Amino acid sequence: RRLVGYQRVLLAPGETRNVRLTLDERLVGRWSGEGWRIAPGRYAFATGRSAEELAVPVEVALRERRRGP
């Protein structure tokens, strides 16, 4: 598990809001001598009030990506 982003959102009781976070690809990639590689597959992310209170799971499918040094 790793923290890849956060945003504080204040909500009134019963209020909902869409929140968008931008993920730095290097946080899910691996470094090799040729640069960063993000392996293809499904990645699970969780959102919540804190690391102890994760409530909303999200799964994202990523294609392979390579990024030079």
Side-chain angles (χ1 to χ4, degrees), residues 20-55:
R20 179 178 293 194
L21 296 173
T22 302
L23 171 69
D24 183 332
E25 294 175 332
R26 295 174 295 178
L27 294 172
V28 294
R30 297 252 189 251
W31 173 259
S32 72
E34 299 173 8
W36 290 97
R37 177 181 181 262
I38 292 124
R42 299 190 77 73
Y43 289 79
F45 297 92
T47 63
R49 217 182 150 129
S50 70
E52 290 81 32
E53 295 181 49
L54 298 175

